[in-house]
Amino acid sequence: MTYFTHKGILFTTLGSSQKTLISVENDFQLLDDDVVTVTYPKSGTNWMLEILGLVLRGGDPSWVRSVPVWYRSPWIETDVGLKAALNYPPPRCLSSHLPFQLFPKSFLKSKTKVIYVMRNPKDVLISHYYFSKAFKGFKEPGTMEEFMETFLKGDVPYGSWFDHVRGWLEMKNKSNVFFFTYEELQHNPRGSVERLCQILGKDLNSQQIDSVLENASFQKMKDNNMSNFTLVPEGHFDHNIGKFMRKGISGDWKNHLTVAQNEYFDRVYQEKMQNVNVNLQWD
Ligand code: PPS
């Protein structure tokens, strides 16, 4: 596995290339009825995609159970994903881990809805650490101590968590950018699904919402081969080392970080997020 740097941000060569990144930023046309789920990696992307896939089909699980998530909602910055997105008829469901400055320029002239999902960065760190051990596109993370340093410096694919979240939060006054948190999906799943329905103009009844909630649960997604990444070939992901659907909880960082590591993380967080006037409550 190797990385390359594009405009100061690291990317993996497994599935992405400079050519695709340049094309997606400058040439790719987002359309008014596209819905794009945008996240920093390990923030709940696939969970939101499952919820979206169910909401868009009125709670019917047949789509999410028959089509792999990367075809339902291709990642536009990957070589395969961009090709798929270009061939899909509107309305398209798309995904991206891109920081705002590398996102398609056409977004600013469109009414495309962006659903931006954030997660407690300490849980992102832990999820990223385990994912990096199994995903062959990412570097072996080393010890947790070492990986925390790498993560806090932003020397990971898609760059710094802080820059990513800050960059997208600057779009908070745009009427077509909507923010969700992983923690909100956990603590208020029905309210979150109702808000998403409102955003998408989908009028689901109570039974349909029940079906969304049931089929997007951690256990149902863990059992769904179209969503649990077991279809990813061994050459890309070592299924003996890690599971994509790992724990699915908030606060797992408490089981991993020492008191000193946690305090250090908090100091870096305070420093990097000091000018962000948004109340981000993770716990
Ligand atoms: S990726 O690789 O960046 O696209 O990963 P992403 O989907 O953003 O994040 C993966 C984490 O989300 C958890 N997950 C869920 N949690 C709760 N409920 C549901 N339904 C769910 N689906 C996915 C997944 O387990 C990863 O978190 P960790 O902490 O590693 O378990």
Side-chain angles (χ1 to χ4, degrees), residues 39-47 75 97 119 123 127 131 182 186 216-218 221 229 244-249:
T39 58
Y40 186 82
K42 313 318 294 176
S43 300
T45 328
N46 288 271
W47 190 7
W75 270 260
H97 288 314
R119 184 183 191 185
D123 284 331
S127 182
F131 185 75
Y182 181 97
Q186 266 189 334
S217 69
F218 184 79
M221 282 183 64
F229 279 57
F244 178 80
M245 297 296 293
R246 193 184 62 90
K247 274 198 181 171
I249 60 168

Side-chain angles (χ1 to χ4, degrees), residues 18-121:
Q18 196 126 25
K19 185 168 167 257
T20 296
L21 291 171
I22 291 170
S23 167
V24 84
E25 183 186 345
N26 298 296
D27 309 326
F28 184 66
Q29 293 305 309
L30 282 167
L31 307 172
D32 284 350
D33 46 10
D34 289 336
V35 178
V36 195
T37 300
V38 183
T39 58
Y40 186 82
K42 313 318 294 176
S43 300
T45 328
N46 288 271
W47 190 7
M48 180 53 85
L49 293 178
E50 203 83 343
I51 294 173
L52 258 174
L54 289 157
V55 165
L56 291 171
R57 302 291 157 120
D60 178 354
S62 49
W63 192 39
V64 302
R65 288 200 193 143
S66 58
V67 181
V69 61
W70 50 86
Y71 289 135
R72 268 183 261 143
S73 185
W75 270 260
I76 54 176
E77 64 272 16
T78 65
D79 303 337
V80 171
L82 180 61
K83 247 184 224 153
L86 287 168
N87 283 323
Y88 282 9
R92 298 175 298 185
C93 208
L94 305 170
S95 311
S96 179
H97 288 314
L98 287 173
F100 182 73
Q101 71 274 19
L102 301 181
F103 200 64
K105 288 199 171 101
S106 59
F107 173 64
L108 290 173
K109 290 181 264 114
S110 75
K111 295 195 180 102
T112 306
K113 291 186 171 111
V114 161
I115 310 291
Y116 188 77
V117 186
M118 298 172 282
R119 184 183 191 185
N120 183 338

